[in-house]
Amino acid sequence: MSENMISRRKFLRTLGLGGILLGSYPYLSACSAFLDRRTTPEVVGDPDVEVRLIARPGTQQIFSGTPTNIWRFTGEVLKGPADTLFSIPESYLGPIFRVKSGAQLRVHFENELPEKSIVHWHGLHVPDTADGHPRLAVESGESYVYDFKVMDRAGTYWYHPHPHGRTGPQVYRGLAGLFLIQDDQEAALSLPSGDQDLPMVIQDRTFDQDNQLIYDPSMMGMFGDQNFVNGLPDYTLDVDRRAYRLRLMNGSNARIYKLAWDDGTPLQVIGTEGGLLEKPVIKDYVTLAPAQRIDVWVDFGGWEAGKWINMVNLPSAAPGGGREFKIFSAAIKDTPRKEASLPETFPLHEKLDASQAVNANALRSFVLSMGMGMRWMINGRVFDMTNVANDEKVRQGDIEVWEFANRGMGMGMGMGMGMAQPHPMHIHGLQFKILERQIDPSELDAYNSLKNGFVDQGWHDTVLVMPGETVRLLMQFKDFSGLYVYHCHILEHEDMGMMRNFQVKNA
Ligand code: C2O
Ligand code: CU
Ligand code: CU
């Protein structure tokens, strides 16, 4: 009997269905969807794509010697294209989803971890019942069924657990995966695809002498001393002399990266969290905060055959950002050069008009600060599972300007004090525009070490707010009412309370 069968039995028993339903899996899913109160309540028609996603403990041979104990997502396609899920060989990361915009998706999440969990689809515009809010977390042995239509633009999204207080350790142990959306508009652009379309999930981890993960965060979050790409240390690519698309994602709990090619070649950025930009943006380096994604177009034909090119993290004033280190290496193969040209513009960019914001004259402002007793706060509050304050209620359909103001312990306290921290702020359920940034002059040093790497164009779901900085965002609460969260994506800050509900009310 395979491992899968055993765990399926165990799972059935937990649901109290053992012995009755040992038939085909689709039958079980229909029944558990019916019996589980916590399942998405809307009656949804037949999904186009149906997937089973299990979170459970496992091991991975990362180094020689003792295998590393990890937690991982594994998946199985129950309906729809078999290549909907792609597992990266030898990686602790979860399978990469590849889904077409417009597809109706059903995911059966099964929690085989020894603690409660729930999956959040980061960056996606989904009903609140499918958003993985911490109140929806299911106990060990339970399941949750997600039903949603993939409504977002083509781009690089991701998924990870979201139980309150435990997101940091669960992601650190390995629970995360990419969620790639494709659409016809993007396909028509003939961007590098297939073997030339490379996901690059960047993470840091620390291990003990016996190859086991050490999770030991400070108020600044968990910083690992070893760099991983796609769940592998010392990541190396063999590349042909042609164009590639690199989907860089910061999957670290707390580390802010300052990414550059080590020979100074500029980066050609074509996309952000919410898909392609209007046109490429050229950067000497890119600042990538936790949860952010950036699409980089690179012509490896620009380097000589046999050469090695490294992507490195440059030193910055970000916490833990003192040293330069290698992110990955690309070895340029001795193959004929293939002509490559980057489109000058990308079509179909949805506009959002700031003049239509309902609160243009009375901004919704959120002050980020540190509170007494190891807490990070938003407007003086910490997370409360169901509480929504009056300034956290919005109306469905409205366009709004939100402002995040990072005040630390008050003006002028340097990052060296550990009290003023950068906060990558993330809002669930939507993609926003970045309208403007203001920086307190007393905090310019840290700011200047990262600011040229900000890609503020395009659509985002996470924005880095530096100490002393105020950032204004433009967003619309489009199709769904309900309860969502916004939070700092330094996962330990989130776990320590730097997260709040916001409620989208029926108009
Ligand atoms: Cu990626 Cu609420 O998070
Ligand atoms: Cu999210
Ligand atoms: Cu934070």
Side-chain angles (χ1 to χ4, degrees), residues 79-241:
K79 184 183 176 190
D83 64 356
T84 297
L85 297 183
F86 172 79
S87 296
I88 305 167
E90 325 256 287
S91 173
Y92 57 72
L93 288 177
I96 298 175
F97 281 66
R98 275 185 291 213
V99 187
K100 284 210 141 195
S101 186
Q104 183 71 42
L105 184 63
R106 177 170 296 161
V107 180
H108 303 262
F109 168 59
E110 297 173 9
N111 177 12
E112 293 187 7
L113 304 171
E115 62 185 46
K116 68 178 191 219
S117 194
I118 192 73
V119 176
H120 166 58
W121 313 96
H122 181 121
L124 268 65
H125 182 53
V126 295
D128 77 334
T129 47
D131 187 55
H133 184 287
R135 75 183 187 286
L136 304 172
V138 294
E139 298 296 332
S140 177
E142 291 185 341
S143 68
Y144 191 92
V145 182
Y146 296 82
D147 270 303
F148 61 91
K149 187 175 168 167
V150 177
M151 299 172 79
D152 293 274
R153 302 174 72 214
T156 309
Y157 305 82
W158 65 300
Y159 63 97
H160 60 78
H162 219 296
H164 184 48
R166 297 292 296 165
T167 297
Q170 290 193 7
V171 172
Y172 189 79
R173 280 176 179 245
L175 294 170
L178 286 171
F179 192 103
L180 307 182
I181 301 179
Q182 294 153 336
D183 65 22
D184 296 340
Q185 280 130 24
E186 196 191 79
L189 295 172
S190 309
L191 289 167
S193 63
D195 290 344
Q196 284 76 49
D197 178 354
L198 303 177
M200 307 290 267
V201 178
I202 305 167
Q203 295 177 311
D204 58 350
R205 295 288 183 270
T206 298
F207 297 84
D208 67 14
Q209 305 245 324
D210 197 32
N211 297 341
Q212 301 309 310
L213 286 161
I214 297 176
Y215 184 73
D216 182 22
S218 72
M219 275 301 276
M220 294 194 298
M222 178 64 210
F223 289 84
D225 57 14
Q226 223 175 316
N227 184 69
F228 277 72
V229 172
N230 295 338
L232 304 163
D234 301 317
Y235 202 73
T236 302
L237 292 167
D238 288 316
V239 293
D240 290 314
R241 302 187 65 219

Side-chain angles (χ1 to χ4, degrees), residues 277-473:
L277 298 168
E278 275 177 275
K279 54 174 194 276
V281 167
I282 314 293
K283 291 278 176 187
D284 288 336
Y285 68 89
V286 164
T287 302
L288 203 64
Q292 288 189 312
R293 289 86 71 201
I294 209 108
D295 262 275
V296 166
W297 186 93
V298 54
D299 179 9
F300 285 117
W303 286 283
E304 278 159 50
K307 235 190 139 347
W308 288 74
I309 175 89
N310 299 316
M311 181 163 280
V312 293
N313 177 74
L314 298 175
S316 78
R323 71 196 168 95
E324 177 167 333
F325 58 86
K326 192 173 75 181
I327 302 288
F328 66 87
S329 306
I332 319 288
K333 285 199 278 188
D334 194 358
T335 48
R337 178 167 188 180
K338 207 166 178 255
E339 246 0 275
S341 74
L342 175 62
E344 274 167 29
T345 59
F346 302 117
L348 274 159
H349 214 72
E350 210 183 316
K351 298 264 188 278
L352 201 55
D353 185 355
S355 71
Q356 295 198 358
V358 296
N359 65 339
N361 301 318
L363 292 187
R364 206 177 279 282
S365 184
F366 299 103
V367 175
L368 314 174
S369 67
M370 193 178 82
M372 304 303 280
M374 305 280 280
R375 301 198 303 181
W376 294 100
M377 305 195 296
I378 304 176
N379 274 354
R381 308 175 186 114
V382 291
F383 185 62
D384 179 307
M385 195 62 91
T386 51
N387 181 264
V388 188
N390 269 333
D391 58 2
E392 295 171 319
K393 293 174 183 165
V394 300
R395 265 185 329 182
Q396 189 187 329
D398 279 359
I399 297 173
E400 287 210 5
V401 178
W402 282 24
E403 176 182 273
F404 288 116
N406 186 350
R407 302 263 163 80
M409 289 285 281
M411 297 296 187
M413 300 287 273
M415 294 226 291
M417 302 287 293
M419 291 157 183
Q421 292 284 308
H423 298 294
M425 297 305 295
H426 168 54
I427 305 174
H428 276 216
L430 53 83
Q431 297 284 329
F432 52 74
K433 290 277 184 182
I434 300 172
L435 289 179
E436 61 171 298
R437 296 173 175 271
Q438 277 165 27
I439 181 73
D440 185 289
S442 67
E443 305 271 13
L444 266 176
D445 284 356
Y447 189 73
N448 285 341
S449 77
L450 290 165
K451 74 159 196 288
N452 291 342
F454 296 154
V455 181
D456 285 347
Q457 295 90 339
W459 293 97
H460 295 267
D461 56 49
T462 308
V463 64
L464 183 59
V465 188
M466 291 294 289
E469 191 179 26
T470 299
V471 180
R472 284 188 186 162
L473 312 172

